[in-house]
Amino acid sequence: MEALLDREAPPAARDRAMQQLVASAQAGDGHAAFYLGALYRHGMDHPARRVERDVETARFWLEKCVASPRCPLVALASLAELELAVGNAKPAMQWAQAWVVLDREQEKRTRGDRPQDNTHDMPYRNTAYHAFLIDRCYKAMAPARDVDALGRSWFQELARTHGGHLDRMLQASLEDTPAGGEDGGDVRPRLQIATEAQRTKIMGGDARIPLGPSLGLFLYRGNPAGGRADGLWMIEALPNPAGARGLEAQARSVRTLPYTPAADGRRAYAYLPMTFNDGVWSLTPQR
């Protein structure tokens, strides 16, 4: 993934990484299909600048991800944004609602008791982007007597056709969520966030603050000495790279504890989601 996302990597290494990613996606690897979908959805707007934008190819890979045994839940949001961009209100609303339902359920089941995990007034960290996405889906719908009822009927239709698979997606995501206890024999070094409070972030003067709620998923390479990232690359940006660009400054400020690299010297990596809440959008009732 690093070679694929790093524009400074040798071209031959990037070509091999792309070939391996396509082969993995074709073999049924949901995560590989998700990465390809993100690359093709953004095209040359993606920081990796790997492929030209191709909506049909992006949709193919994202839907292949959703149909796989293990697929990141955020792929549903990627599909919603893709369909919104081309004016397909119904699938956009269906995928958006599916993502919001599953994402909120996952967070409810995995929420920790540390302050940096959640706050009392904002229990769902993606709530602003949830609301922002759903609102845009409603605005894309053709005028109807009761758009709320129509939106519910669309979601119920998706639940009838994909409900069992969406349940399995959630279960697989919960199984993949890191937790305490046994590591299943995985001897790779694991990154741990530094103990100092990192719940509040301040955008640097050179960072462009997102214009509205946004979400970014980054590949984070930990420094064995601890502290700031040794390397950071954007995997997916919602709604688009421009909207989530300011999140990169936030991601670079995250600090991890020191760790011992693997015996072969390889560094530890983590997937780092970052979200921006402008304080306006919310699906959580405010006091």
Side-chain angles (χ1 to χ4, degrees):
M1 282 301 297
E2 177 183 336
L4 186 70
L5 298 173
D6 186 359
R7 289 164 55 184
E8 304 301 320
R14 300 194 76 202
D15 290 342
R16 285 195 302 271
M18 188 69 176
Q19 293 167 1
Q20 292 169 355
L21 188 70
V22 171
S24 296
Q26 290 174 334
D29 186 320
H31 286 78
F34 167 63
Y35 305 145
L36 283 174
L39 289 173
Y40 278 104
R41 188 171 79 84
H42 297 304
M44 289 300 172
D45 288 337
H46 194 287
R49 296 180 63 84
R50 180 65 215 184
V51 296
E52 295 291 341
R53 183 173 183 269
D54 188 321
V55 171
E56 294 301 324
T57 302
R59 182 186 290 114
F60 172 83
W61 287 119
L62 289 172
E63 290 182 347
K64 193 172 180 65
C65 170
V66 172
S68 70
R70 271 180 158 74
C71 175
L73 298 184
V74 73
L76 297 169
S78 297
L79 270 169
E81 289 288 1
L82 182 149
E83 300 296 357
L84 265 180
V86 295
N88 295 334
K90 181 177 180 179
M93 176 65 84
Q94 289 176 317
W95 295 127
Q97 291 192 86
W99 177 63
V100 170
V101 169
L102 296 189
D103 189 61
R104 289 166 71 87
E105 183 65 21
Q106 181 189 39
E107 184 161 346
K108 183 174 71 174
R109 296 194 194 184
T110 59
R111 193 180 307 147
D113 56 5
R114 300 181 305 165
Q116 58 265 42
D117 288 335
N118 52 269
T119 70
H120 180 73
D121 291 321
M122 191 58 66
Y124 298 101
R125 55 180 153 249
N126 294 328
T127 188
Y129 180 67
H130 289 162
F132 183 55
L133 176 59
I134 293 293
D135 181 73
R136 287 184 293 127
C137 288
Y138 273 117
K139 289 178 178 177
M141 295 169 63
R145 178 174 298 178
D146 189 341
V147 293
D148 290 331
L150 182 58
R152 287 194 297 272
S153 71
W154 285 352
F155 180 64
Q156 290 164 359
E157 178 184 329
L158 181 72
R160 287 193 299 270
T161 58
H162 291 74
H165 185 70
L166 292 174
D167 286 344
R168 288 190 290 274
M169 276 184 66
L170 175 62
Q171 186 59 42
S173 182
L174 290 170
E175 291 172 358
D176 290 340
T177 301
E182 297 298 326
D183 60 8
D186 190 345
V187 296
R188 293 175 299 170
R190 295 194 179 277
L191 291 176
Q192 293 182 304
I193 299 297
T195 54
E196 64 264 25
Q198 299 191 75
R199 182 175 57 179
T200 301
K201 301 291 185 184
I202 299 176
M203 292 287 189
D206 59 345
R208 283 181 285 179
I209 297 176
L211 297 177
S214 54
L215 189 151
L217 179 64
F218 299 87
L219 179 65
Y220 185 106
R221 186 177 70 201
N223 188 331
R228 293 180 184 272
D230 195 33
L232 187 78
W233 300 272
M234 179 178 285
I235 297 173
E236 174 62 298
L238 302 165
N240 52 58
R245 189 166 291 132
L247 296 175
E248 184 173 351
Q250 300 282 68
R252 290 190 182 281
S253 70
V254 172
R255 293 172 172 81
T256 58
L257 295 176
Y259 69 93
T260 301
D264 58 5
R266 285 185 296 176
R267 303 293 176 90
Y269 292 78
Y271 293 117
L272 179 66
M274 300 294 293
T275 188
F276 176 72
N277 186 344
D278 60 1
V280 176
W281 301 83
S282 178
L283 292 179
T284 303
Q286 301 298 299
R287 293 186 302 173

